[in-house]
Amino acid sequence: MFLGLQWYWWLVIVAVVVASIPIKLKFMQWWNQRRREKDRQGEWGDGQ
């Protein structure tokens, strides 16, 4: 097979990649929201 892997390993790799896309999108939304909240806290001069 391609690069010495059996066909079922390619299915596992594709499944992991497809499953990781929504997780990455959710993480990016959470990270942007966290960053916005952090910026909002700092704009009033709270000393941190």
Side-chain angles (χ1 to χ4, degrees):
M1 280 307 286
F2 189 64
L3 294 177
L5 294 176
Q6 295 294 326
W7 64 271
Y8 50 84
W9 284 114
W10 286 111
L11 287 178
V12 170
I13 292 169
V14 168
V16 168
V17 169
V18 168
S20 69
I21 291 171
I23 294 170
K24 180 183 177 188
L25 291 175
K26 191 73 168 170
F27 173 77
M28 292 300 292
Q29 289 174 349
W30 171 81
W31 185 261
N32 287 333
Q33 180 182 0
R34 180 179 172 266
R35 207 173 72 202
R36 267 188 260 122
E37 288 174 359
K38 213 173 212 183
D39 289 345
R40 193 177 307 130
Q41 287 175 354
E43 74 183 31
W44 294 105
D46 58 1
Q48 292 183 359

